[in-house]
C-alpha cells in the first residue's frame, strides 16, 4: 500500500521501531528510482509500506526527511532490523541477499550473476547519475549561461549508454539469457526517464533500443509488478503495448487516399551541401570495424554553413554528436564546432578524437591544435578511431 508521509516530526528511533513492527518502510516518489525497490519488494513477496516523498513537492529536501537520509534523496528503505538503506543498487543487492528464496538474482559465483552485477553497477554509475544533469543542468554548468549545452551533452551521453545496454540484452525479453532478474526492474524503471523528453520515449527508444523497450513492457506485465507499475505509470505514460507501436517503416505515412507530400527541395534538405566532403567515423572501436561511437564530420573549411544549417544536419543524421571543420583561427589547424541532435556543445570527447583523424590528415605535424567553443584542444592526431570506407568522403 502507498500512504501519505506520516513520519514528519517523528524521531528516527520511532521510525525504526515502526519498521521492525511493520517490516519494510520505503520512502519514494512516483516515477522515481524508488519504483525499482517497490517492484523488487513485490517480487520478493514481503510486506512493506510506501511513504510518498514527493519530488515534485520537494519533500525529499525537507528537514524531517533529512533525519532519514542526510543526502535528502529517494529512495530510502527502513528495514525490519532497524537499518536505513540508501542507494538503489545497494538496496536491491541487500534485498536479494535477505530474500534468496525469491531468486531475485542468479546464485552467487555463477557467470550469470557476474553479468547481472556488471550491468546493475553500469546503470547505477553510468546512466542513473545523468538524469540529475538532464533535469537540473544549472547545478553542473561550468560557467553561467551554459546550462543548455550541459543538458544537451548529458542527453547525448544518456542515449549512447542506453545503446551499450541494448547490445548487452541477451534474453527474450530479459537481460540474461537464463531469464528474469532484478536488474530487469532497474532497466525498466530508468528507461522511462527523462519524463519530459517525448521524442526519446515515443521515437528514439522504440526504434534505437527496441530490446530495452520490450523489456520494460514485459516488466510492466509481470504478475507481481503490474499493479505497482500502473500506480506509477498509468496510461498513457506506461510503456505502449506492442500493438500500439507503429512499425518504423510505416510511422508518419499518409493515409492511402491522401496525396503524397511534395519532395523536399535541395534548399531545405538537412544534408551537407553539394561539394562539401563529409566522413562517417567510428570512435572507440578497439580494433573492431563498424563498432564504437558513430560520428559525422563535415569539412566546411570556407564557413559556408550557418549555425542553423549545422544544427539541422546534426538532427537529421541523428548521431549522438556531429562535428564541423571550419576555417583556422588563433594559430590552430582548424576551428571545430560540435552539435548533438538538440544543441551545440562546447566540447566532447569522442568528437575531438574523430576530428583529430580528419583535421590531422591535412596537417604536416605530429601535434596540432583545434579551436573549439571551449578553447584550444591539443591533439596528437588520430586515436582509437576508424573511418568507414563506404562513406568517406562523399560530396
Amino acid at each position: 500500500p502507498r500512504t501519505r508521509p506520516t513520519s514528519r516530526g517523528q524521531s528516527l528511533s520511532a521510525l525504526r521501531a515502526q519498521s521492525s513492527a511493520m517490516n519494510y518502510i520505503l520512502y519514494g516518489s512516483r516515477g522515481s528510482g524508488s519504483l525499482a525497490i517497490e517492484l523488487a519488494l513485490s517480487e520478493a513477496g514481503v510486506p512493506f509500506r510506501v511513504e510518498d516523498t514527493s519530488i515534485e513537492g520537494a519533500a525529499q529536501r525537507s528537514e524531517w526527511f533529512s533525519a532519514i537520509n542526510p543526502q535528502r534523496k529517494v529512495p530510502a528503505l527502513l528495514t525490519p532490523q532497524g537499518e536505513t538503506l540508501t542507494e538503489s543498487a545497494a538496496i536491491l543487492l541487500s534485498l536479494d541477499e535477505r530474500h534468496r528464496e525469491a531468486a531475485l538474482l542468479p546464485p552467487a559465483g555463477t557467470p550469470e550473476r557476474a553479468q547481472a552485477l556488471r550491468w546493475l553497477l553500469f546503470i547505477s554509475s553510468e546512466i542513473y547519475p545523468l538524469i540529475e544533469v538532464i533535469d537540473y543542468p544549472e547545478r553542473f554548468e561550468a560557467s553561467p549561461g551554459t546550462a543548455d549545452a550541459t543538458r544537451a551533452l548529458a542527453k547525448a551521453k544518456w542515449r549512447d549508454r542506453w545503446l551499450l545496454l541494448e547490445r548487452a540484452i541477451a534474453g527474450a525479453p530479459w537481460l540474461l539469457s537464463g531469464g528474469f532478474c532484478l536488474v530487469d526492474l532497474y532497466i525498466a524503471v530508468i528507461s522511462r526517464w527523462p519524463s519530459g523528453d517525448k521524442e526519446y520515449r515515443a521515437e528514439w527508444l522504440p526504434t534505437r533500443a527496441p530490446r530495452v523497450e520490450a523489456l520494460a513492457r514485459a516488466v510492466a506485465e509481470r504478475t507481481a509488478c503490474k499493479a505497482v507499475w500502473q500506480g506509477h505509470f498509468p496510461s498513457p505514460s506506461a510503456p505502449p503495448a506492442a500493438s500500439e507501436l507503429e512499425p518504423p517503416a510505416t510511422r508518419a505515412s499518409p493515409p492511402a487516399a491522401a496525396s503524397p507530400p511534395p519532395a523536399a527541395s535541395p534548399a531545405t534538405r538537412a544534408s551537407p551541401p553539394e561539394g562539401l566532403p563529409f566522413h562517417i567515423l567510428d570512435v572507440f572501436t578497439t580494433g573492431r570495424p563498424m563498432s564504437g561511437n558513430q560520428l559525422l564530420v563535415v569539412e566546411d573549411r570556407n564557413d559556408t554553413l550557418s549555425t542553423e544549417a549545422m544544427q539541422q544536419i546534426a538532427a537529421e543524421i541523428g548521431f549522438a554528436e556531429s562535428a564541423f571543420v571550419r576555417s583556422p583561427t588563433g594559430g590552430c589547424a582548424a576551428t571545430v564546432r560540435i552539435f548533438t541532435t538538440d544543441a551545440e556543445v562546447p566540447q566532447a570527447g569522442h568528437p575531438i578524437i574523430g576530428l583529430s583523424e580528419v583535421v590531422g590528415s591535412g596537417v604536416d605535424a605530429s601535434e596540432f591544435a583545434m579551436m573549439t567553443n571551449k578553447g584550444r584542444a591539443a591533439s596528437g592526431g588520430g586515436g582509437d578511431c576508424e573511418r568507414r570506407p563506404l562513406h568517406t568522403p562523399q560530396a
Side-chain angles (χ1 to χ4, degrees), residues 42-386:
S42 296
E43 286 281 351
V46 297
F48 66 96
R49 188 178 85 233
V50 179
E51 293 278 357
D52 275 328
T53 312
S54 172
I55 292 176
E56 290 185 0
Q60 85 282 8
R61 311 297 295 175
S62 63
E63 289 297 326
W64 70 266
F65 187 67
S66 68
I68 298 167
N69 184 2
Q71 278 194 294
R72 302 188 184 194
K73 293 182 178 181
V74 295
L77 184 69
L78 300 187
T79 74
Q81 293 76 26
E83 306 159 292
T84 300
L85 301 179
T86 63
E87 309 308 318
S88 297
I91 296 173
L92 291 170
L93 289 172
S94 297
L95 290 176
D96 170 67
E97 290 175 351
R98 297 178 187 195
H99 302 284
R100 285 300 305 147
E101 71 284 355
L104 296 174
L105 283 172
T110 62
E112 292 78 12
R113 186 180 181 91
Q115 289 303 309
L117 297 180
R118 171 193 177 186
W119 292 107
L120 175 69
L121 296 180
F122 174 81
I123 298 165
S124 176
S125 61
E126 297 292 331
I127 295 181
Y128 200 126
L130 287 172
I131 199 64
E132 185 176 7
V133 186
I134 293 170
D135 286 347
Y136 307 102
E138 65 280 357
R139 298 177 184 176
F140 301 91
E141 57 182 347
S143 57
T146 60
D148 287 345
T150 300
R151 173 185 279 124
L153 184 57
K155 287 174 69 175
K157 297 300 180 187
W158 174 268
R159 298 185 184 200
D160 279 350
R161 289 168 187 177
W162 276 115
L163 291 177
L164 290 174
L165 189 53
E166 168 77 5
R167 293 194 288 270
I169 293 176
W174 311 118
L175 171 68
L176 302 178
S177 59
F180 169 81
C181 71
L182 62 73
V183 185
D184 297 311
L185 306 176
Y186 209 29
I187 293 170
V189 170
I190 298 175
S191 72
R192 303 302 94 190
W193 306 342
S195 58
D197 192 340
K198 294 181 180 179
E199 182 271 335
Y200 161 78
R201 283 290 313 282
E203 297 182 19
W204 189 90
L205 196 65
T207 57
R208 298 294 301 278
R211 283 179 283 187
V212 172
E213 184 69 15
L215 185 154
R217 293 198 300 268
V219 165
E221 293 298 321
R222 285 182 66 82
T223 301
C225 298
K226 190 168 186 177
V228 173
W229 186 276
Q230 290 177 349
H232 287 256
F233 297 118
S235 181
S237 299
S243 61
E244 296 172 336
L245 289 174
E246 292 182 344
T250 62
R251 184 179 294 120
S253 297
S259 300
S265 66
T268 61
R269 290 184 62 186
S271 58
E274 188 171 344
L276 286 183
F278 66 95
H279 315 263
I280 294 178
L281 303 97
D282 290 316
V283 184
F284 304 136
T285 58
T286 61
R288 292 180 295 123
M290 307 298 285
S291 65
N293 291 358
Q294 296 169 309
L295 176 71
L296 170 73
V297 178
V298 179
E299 295 191 60
D300 181 27
R301 297 178 186 269
N302 292 321
D303 302 340
T304 59
L305 294 173
S306 66
T307 297
E308 181 182 8
M310 288 186 280
Q311 183 64 72
Q312 288 176 341
I313 292 167
E316 177 72 13
I317 294 298
F319 293 165
E321 284 107 359
S322 296
F324 298 82
V325 179
R326 312 277 282 181
S327 61
T329 186
C332 293
T335 300
V336 296
R337 296 178 67 179
I338 303 167
F339 292 78
T340 70
T341 56
D342 302 307
E344 185 172 8
V345 295
Q347 197 176 102
H350 85 266
I352 291 298
I353 294 174
L355 282 161
S356 297
E357 170 75 14
V358 174
V359 174
S361 64
V363 175
D364 187 19
S366 59
E367 294 187 1
F368 57 90
M370 299 176 289
M371 183 65 73
T372 72
N373 282 355
K374 193 176 180 180
R376 292 169 65 92
S379 177
D384 186 7
C385 174
E386 293 189 12

